[in-house]
Amino acid sequence: GVVLGIIGYYTGVMDTSASPTSDSIDNKIDPVLGFVALTPDTVPPVQPDHEVNLILLPREGSPIPEFVFEPTGLFIQPGDTVKFNFDTYDHTVTAYHAAHGFAPRIPEAVEPFSSPVVPLGGYWLYTFEKEGVYDVFCSPHQIFGMVMRIVVGSPTGPGASPVVVGPPSQEPPFQPSQTAGLVLSDLALEPQNIISAGSVSWNEISTENKRIIQPGGQ
């Protein structure tokens, strides 16, 4: 009922018709727009240092899948470029930034970067220049837990602080809401654990923190 209606809303409002393409950003990795490749055979302006897949997984006992960044935690160095592969439909890679209505969870002075909704099979590149913790989300599926944490060099900045898990706020600045808050608060995604492990798989997130939270629930 309610949750399925939310899925329909979030997957229906995104429009790729105005999405920037690689031609519109001169084949460079823009600090806000990144680099958009509409097909997998598009030649990137630089070779990526890491890759992340945006996928769906079956959710036991529910028709709603798990919306996943894989890996969900990643340790990289300043200046590294990450390639986000859009293996399923209707996703973005968006920073928790005040310009997007959220309490910041990326390093200060980093611009409010976001991918568009990239077509199936395409990819998006972003270069993480500044040290710190970067929490990012998929705009249509954040409430279902499609978030990830990238630690660049050292675990500093607003993203290094604990996530406040609670009911969704009614006005900005928003916190990571519903299942997103649970995932980002999972012990597996503690910045020091990500640094030690190098990467953290979605499978390492506890089942309890992957549960769907109904609107207004905790």
Side-chain angles (χ1 to χ4, degrees), residues 12-197:
V13 297
M14 308 305 292
D15 179 10
T16 60
S17 61
S19 299
T21 66
S22 55
D23 289 338
S24 68
I25 54 177
D26 298 324
N27 291 328
K28 295 180 181 179
I29 300 178
D30 187 89
V32 174
L33 303 178
F35 175 87
V36 183
L38 303 183
T39 62
D41 57 356
T42 301
V43 178
V46 299
Q47 289 302 312
D49 301 288
H50 310 272
E51 295 195 25
V52 174
N53 298 313
L54 285 68
I55 61 175
L56 304 182
L57 296 173
R59 186 185 302 270
E60 185 175 356
S62 174
I64 302 171
E66 295 176 348
F67 300 89
V68 176
F69 287 97
E70 181 59 45
T72 312
L74 184 64
F75 176 54
I76 67 176
Q77 295 298 328
D80 281 0
T81 296
V82 179
K83 179 185 180 188
F84 295 87
N85 298 308
F86 286 70
D87 297 329
T88 51
Y89 296 102
D90 287 337
H91 304 304
T92 73
V93 182
T94 303
Y96 281 101
H97 190 284
H100 296 146
F102 287 90
R105 297 199 58 81
I106 63 173
E108 295 177 5
V110 173
E111 297 188 69
F113 64 86
S114 180
S115 77
V117 177
V118 177
L120 181 69
Y123 65 85
W124 186 71
L125 299 179
Y126 191 78
T127 300
F128 293 82
E129 299 286 2
K130 297 183 182 296
E131 284 200 329
V133 175
Y134 292 71
D135 286 350
V136 301
F137 64 95
C138 167
S139 187
H141 304 120
Q142 184 221 183
I143 62 172
F144 302 111
M146 193 166 185
V147 293
M148 80 170 295
R149 175 168 292 151
I150 300 170
V151 180
V152 182
S154 61
T156 59
S161 62
V163 172
V164 177
V165 180
S169 54
Q170 299 302 307
E171 57 185 31
F174 302 113
Q175 298 290 337
S177 59
Q178 297 172 251
T179 307
L182 296 178
V183 172
L184 289 172
S185 66
D186 195 276
L187 292 177
L189 290 184
E190 286 191 349
Q192 287 294 348
N193 184 64
I194 294 174
I195 292 172
S196 297

